[in-house]
Amino acid sequence: MKTILVTGSAGLIGSEVCTYFHTHGFKIHGIDNNQRAVFFGPRGDTRWNLERLQSQLRSYKHNTLNIQNRTDILDIVKEVRPEVIVHTAAQPSHDLAATIPFDDFDTNAVGTLNLLEAARRYCPDSPFIHMSSNKVYGDLPNTIQIKELPTRWDYNNPSYVNGIPESFSIDQSKHSIFGASKVAADVMVQEYGRYFGMPTCCLRGGCLTGPNHSGVELHGFLSYLIECNLTGREYKVFGYKGKQVRDNIHSEDVARFMFEFAQKPRVAEVYNLGGGKTNSCSIHEAFDMVEQLTVKKQVSVYVDQPRIGDHICYYSDLRKMKAHYPNWDITIPLSQIFEGIVRAKQSML
Ligand SMILES: NC(=O)c1ccc[n+]([C@@H]2O[C@H](COP(=O)([O-])OP(=O)(O)OC[C@H]3O[C@@H](n4cnc5c(N)ncnc54)[C@H](O)[C@@H]3O)[C@@H](O)[C@H]2O)c1
């Protein structure tokens, strides 16, 4: 039985990866110290998700470790020597990072280095899959000419009709402190691939979503928006007339791609992993979709100030992923993503 080591295993992506690989016969070692509750308070608490994993996955073994702790990370990788490493533990919020820059960098950049070096010493041939972010492109996507449509912005440049490709520059733009710590990790993951020949990849995520997100205002846009709709809480729209566009991918489609990569790994790869244009929506369009499902009016307030470094329009060009891994495609459309989150939230309220 092969073993996978998943960091951030109680989070949205980590927990989905545990479930997916378990279904495919893997033994699972998870690492998570519930740091999300420290970052975001009780609403970010992921213990419910960990309990779910422990009750549903027979081969799941949990390790309450902090990825910032170098010795602990070296020790666990030495002990487990996993056949695959999926690294999803992170400080994930763009906005929060500026208030906790040491914690943000120590988690996102140093934590990633700890894992990479542990992998190089004890399992250098094991695929190392890192969750990066589209924030590595900083606010450079905002320099693409756009057009205003009734409910959303869209690119007005034929070069980006399929979305943002991996060749887009990550340099000389405003990233936010979070985006910069993710750049450090992303480049280091690529370097361990190029320099040491390890099978690493960076997945530059758009909006990753699904029912298992402990969504909060500062992270987990759809999950939080839907919770606001169901509970009647006011949702704050920050700038860009509420027409800013995000591409949304269900966590199961993320895990499916990771599985494909683990089966046929490549060295130092980078992919833009989002829902692509077909799974994209603006905030206004998201309001409409959720209102149709719940028949509840979304309560919102407009703040005429965009978040620093926020994208006006972003959707991923998925062509490189599909070319390298033809078995992979998006299988969960946006409507189904909404339905799944609404159902999950309703059952928890
Ligand atoms: N969700 C998104 O929309 C999105 C978009 C782009 C990129 N990403 C990236 O994908 C990855 C996973 O995101 P997610 O939405 O699943 O986040 P999440 O917050 O749901 O999960 C991350 C998990 O990591 C754990 N963690 C954090 N710091 C830790 C530490 N120091 N030691 C051990 N565990 C720690 C948290 O407790 C949490 O359970 C992150 O790298 C994030 O930056 C997410």
Side-chain angles (χ1 to χ4, degrees), residues 236-269:
K236 283 200 187 82
V237 180
F238 293 95
Y240 303 141
K241 303 185 185 176
K243 293 184 177 186
Q244 51 272 55
V245 171
R246 306 280 175 262
D247 67 335
N248 305 284
I249 180 168
H250 193 285
S251 48
E252 194 182 308
D253 279 337
V254 174
R256 284 182 46 252
F257 183 80
M258 291 173 168
F259 187 76
E260 290 294 319
F261 183 87
Q263 302 298 102
K264 278 193 187 161
R266 303 166 70 108
V267 170
E269 268 303 352

Side-chain angles (χ1 to χ4, degrees), residues 288-323:
D288 288 346
M289 288 181 80
V290 71
E291 282 173 359
Q292 275 175 30
L293 282 174
T294 64
V295 202
K296 284 188 171 190
K297 187 100 191 99
Q298 185 88 32
V299 182
S300 69
V301 62
Y302 184 70
V303 182
D304 198 9
Q305 179 70 51
R307 291 185 151 131
I308 299 176
D310 204 17
H311 294 147
I312 304 172
C313 178
Y314 188 96
Y315 46 86
S316 318
D317 184 341
L318 304 177
R319 287 177 300 170
K320 182 178 173 190
M321 294 174 68
K322 292 183 192 176

Side-chain angles (χ1 to χ4, degrees), residues 39 67-68 87-93 97 102-113 130-131 177-186 189:
F39 294 144
I67 60 164
Q68 294 181 23
H87 174 36
T88 78
Q91 188 302 101
S93 166
F102 287 136
D103 245 2
D104 178 79
F105 197 85
D106 287 346
T107 305
N108 291 354
V110 179
T112 302
L113 174 63
H130 167 65
M131 264 320 311
I177 299 305
F178 161 77
S181 67
K182 293 298 271 191
V183 166
D186 186 301
V189 171

